Amino acid sequence: MFRATWKSLLARKVRLILSGLAVVLGVMFVSGAFVLTDTLGRSFDAVFADAYEGVDVNVSAKPKIALSETEGEQVAAAMPAAALEKVRTVGGVAEATGIVAADGARLIGSNGKVVTSFGPPQLGENWVGENDLVKLREGRAPRADDEIVVNGALAQAAKVKVGDRVGVLTLEPKKEFTIVGVFGYSGDRDSLGGANEVAFTTPVAQRLMLGEPDVFTNISVKAADGVSAAALRDDIAAAVGADYEVKTGEQLSADASAGLKEGLSFFNKILLGFAAVALLVGTFLILNTFSIIVAQRTRELALMRAIGASGRQIIGSVVLEAIAVGLIASVLGLAAGIGVGALLAYLFGKLAGGLALAGIGVPAAAVIGAFSVGLVITVVAALLPALRASRIPPIAAMQDVATPDRPLTKVTVAGAIVTAIGAALLFLGLSGNAGDNTLTTILGGVLFAFIGVALLTPLISRPVVSLLGAIFSWSVPGKLGRLNSGRNPRRTAITAAALMVGIALVTGVTVILDSAKGSIGKLAENQIKAELVIAGSQTGPRPPSFDRAVLDKVAAIPGVRLVDGEYGDMAVIGGERTWAAASSDPAALQQIFGAKATAGDISRLGPDQMMFSSDTAKSRNVSVGSQVTVQLSRGEPRTYTVSGIYESSQFTNPVLLPAAAAKDFAVPQPNMAFIQLAPGTQVADVQPQVETLLADSPEVSVADRAAFIKQQTSQLDTPLRMIQILLALAIVIAVLGIINTLALSVLERTRELGLLRAIGLRRAQTMRMITVEAVVISIFGALLGVVVGTGLGAAVVEALKDEGITDLVLPWGQMGLFLGLAAIIGVIAAVLPAVRAARINVLGAIAHD
């Protein structure tokens, strides 16, 4: 039996390998995800090991508000110079150095634009001299208040050199400095981990990066000879008290690396998600391939049963073929995944400013994941065809091979049940009743919905395909192609279902994001009563900002009626973390956004007062007169009195603090401003004057309301494009499925094609017939995908109504594009099978058994 199976496999190796390509692509994503995170993880381990190599013990103040890597850059807490003196008195301390290192120093390059960073911090530091790790490459150390040194990575990115006069944005507005030196790191590295670094003199660094004199972010300690780092850590911790975090250099390195790895896990989940989509589509392809092969081998399998093979042996034969395909696909997928993981790591390193990558490694998880997923998916997909093969009666060996249609009752009932389960899970997840398992419930609902629709598809395939095929029935090849596409509803349905999954996901995401853009745009148009807006696009962990003095200058421009500047930060309010805002003029804010009071007075805000939105006030059980303690990113906790509560809307912040509180925000400058003009004043008369005032704030610009809304909503275009690109993989697999189905179908109809050729069907007509069949199946799959995707997208939009997505926007243009793309896919997929069909030897085909 084994020899027979092996010979059977070799006889069909091309078509089985073609179906295995789907598994290859899915396994590639699985293994690539693990290779990527392993490589980047080890790279960051090396970076932080170097960064803290000369540090035996590090002392830092506990942050006021702790943030994870995915929430943004941690705001460093300041520690007084007295702490440095106390550390120096501890026995076993050979040297203690006060360090200032905080994110937020943005250098303006030679092109007049701020050098941006997509992940690595933009550090503002105090220059503490050279050591084994840090070396000046050019120039000298900063001595005057207007002198800085920069690392090699920043010098290259900004295209600046020693002697250049540059602007730097910090906690304060733009300041001018002269670059007096460029430094690098051992091993000829321009940076550590891609960070951009600006080093000032210590007093300037303290003022600009921490907002107060004689403070540090941490203290770097070297132990005396013979003193262990762990023992010195414990002694220092006892001396400075519980308000400080004291760690060895090894601990600090491990903690910093672990924090970044937490952020990397996000990319890992994305890649694994797309791997799941690829494998789901691949399951349909493999199921169809084995179903067709079993149908073609009906007589052969029946003969084997007739000479004594048991049903179990037949199942084993088909499963053995599946295992062989799965093994080959897993090996190829693992190899491709290693390459993809290495490529993504390289691109990430470049994007991160030249991160030095550790050697590409293949973790055990990548190998185990590759073979587990590849084998399991292939064998599971082959089980149904294997069971079907085991039920072939021996009498079939004495009959012509035939695959009569079976009733669709069972599959229809199963499809209805599975679809109902999917709908129930989606309703449970989208309604917010799934608790901590919301995402899992929604994903499960989507999976069941796809499988259920795929099971129901044979019921509608014949009438829908017949209707679609009518478009091409103006010729004999078109009529034949139409009939062929509908002759086996199950096969057509499974082939179309593979394409459905990819297009449904793309359509669903597009519906959700377009609805979000439309809703935000409509709400903004109706609620923002400001003709001009000052804002910028956030390209890093910190929002762009501008000088608060600009607000007063804008208010003085003739024709300007109201100006409101807004600040924002994460705060701990009443023991819970909440986003908080501050307004330069609450009365102007009230008029610009049409805010309505539900309690108290919201037109003014005293220095010791705060306001809540109605939803937040209700959830926190506060009312006018309540005393609330607020901890911001800087400073000490402060108690405010609730003076007003305003009606919640999509454009009101949950908490509003007085403008004076912004000095303790992570970014103590306004990041947005709304300008309302007096009646009769033209935007074109005011906008250029505001632009002039923003000359020293290159991170932001002023735009009219329509341009501002477009700028804000366009931020959703980037994730949409990324999702569409990655989901194109599912469509590629679907194309392989159509090619495979048609190729097997051509082989199955060899004698039929020979007879058609014998009675006059020309080669070109044969190719058109196969092409029509492919196009009809492709359009059917795309149509299913558009309908299912629209339904899923509409369900999500309905569930998000309370979140502000109130308008359902259907992307008609993209839906039409998908259907047109499906027709092109069909033509492409038909090329090889059509050529093969056209080249069939007529006499040999007629004699084919």
Side-chain angles (χ1 to χ4, degrees), residues 296 480-481 483-485 487-488 491 741-756 766 769-770 773 777 837 840 845 848:
Q296 290 175 351
L480 291 172
L483 294 172
N484 286 336
S485 59
R487 71 198 297 180
N488 193 321
R491 184 181 303 175
T741 299
L742 290 176
L744 293 171
S745 182
V746 167
L747 182 64
E748 186 180 55
R749 305 198 313 252
T750 300
R751 187 175 184 184
E752 175 187 317
L753 290 169
L755 289 171
L756 288 172
T766 303
M769 177 184 70
I770 301 298
E773 186 176 349
I777 293 174
I840 285 178
H848 180 79

Side-chain angles (χ1 to χ4, degrees), residues 528 530-537 544-555 557 560 562-567 670-676 686-687 689-695 697-705 707-708 711-712:
I528 299 178
E531 286 76 19
L532 291 170
V533 181
I534 298 173
S537 297
S545 59
F546 57 95
D547 188 354
R548 69 186 73 187
V550 169
L551 298 173
D552 295 331
K553 295 176 182 178
V554 170
I557 296 175
V560 172
L562 295 172
V563 178
D564 171 54
E566 291 203 18
Y567 311 72
N671 49 56
M672 193 175 292
F674 298 90
I675 305 168
Q676 188 181 94
V686 177
Q687 187 169 352
Q689 299 180 67
V690 179
E691 287 174 349
T692 301
L693 296 175
L694 294 172
S697 303
E699 292 181 302
V700 298
S701 60
V702 61
D704 60 38
R705 181 170 55 186
F708 167 73
Q711 177 194 54
Q712 297 302 304

Side-chain angles (χ1 to χ4, degrees), residues 86-341:
K86 184 177 289 187
V87 169
R88 285 173 174 165
T89 64
V90 176
V93 172
E95 182 182 347
T97 305
I99 305 294
V100 176
D103 189 20
R106 294 95 69 206
L107 187 138
I108 300 172
S110 59
N111 59 359
K113 297 181 179 180
V114 172
V115 178
T116 57
S117 172
F118 296 91
Q122 296 176 291
L123 295 174
E125 308 165 332
N126 64 327
W127 179 256
V128 295
E130 297 179 273
N131 52 43
D132 292 340
L133 180 65
V134 180
K135 296 291 182 183
L136 276 171
R137 293 177 177 175
E138 303 175 53
R140 58 172 175 82
R143 301 187 189 117
D145 287 352
D146 67 340
E147 295 179 345
I148 59 172
V149 294
V150 299
N151 69 353
L154 182 55
Q156 291 180 23
K159 295 186 168 91
V160 294
K161 60 185 183 304
V162 172
D164 286 352
R165 193 77 175 165
V166 297
V168 180
L169 305 174
T170 57
L171 294 181
E172 296 185 9
K174 175 184 171 184
K175 304 290 183 186
E176 296 283 341
F177 295 89
T178 299
I179 298 176
V180 297
V182 176
F183 65 93
Y185 292 89
S186 60
D188 198 31
R189 290 172 292 178
D190 292 326
S191 74
L192 284 180
N196 293 329
E197 296 170 85
V198 179
F200 310 89
T201 60
T202 295
V204 173
Q206 291 168 333
R207 187 181 79 249
L208 296 183
M209 301 310 303
L210 301 179
E212 53 184 314
D214 297 325
V215 291
F216 300 96
T217 55
N218 57 292
I219 299 169
S220 178
V221 181
K222 286 187 177 180
D225 292 341
V227 178
S228 73
L232 183 58
R233 174 198 60 197
D234 295 340
D235 291 343
I236 293 175
V240 298
D243 291 335
Y244 297 93
E245 291 182 342
V246 185
K247 298 180 179 180
T248 64
E250 289 183 0
Q251 285 179 308
L252 204 61
S253 175
D255 290 349
S257 183
L260 277 171
K261 287 177 181 177
E262 178 189 342
L264 289 177
S265 66
F266 173 73
F267 294 100
N268 194 42
K269 291 174 182 175
I270 290 178
L271 291 175
L272 291 176
F274 285 106
V277 173
L279 292 168
L280 174 62
V281 177
T283 301
F284 288 117
L285 193 160
I286 296 167
L287 173 63
N288 211 23
T289 299
F290 276 93
S291 295
I292 295 173
I293 290 174
V294 167
Q296 290 175 351
R297 295 172 59 198
T298 299
R299 192 171 183 180
E300 173 192 332
L301 293 171
L303 183 60
M304 294 175 70
R305 290 296 308 277
I307 62 176
S310 66
R312 182 176 298 178
Q313 287 178 309
I314 297 295
I315 292 175
S317 173
V318 176
V319 169
L320 187 60
E321 291 186 16
I323 290 174
V325 172
L327 280 173
I328 295 171
S330 297
V331 171
L332 295 176
L334 176 61
I338 294 170
V340 167

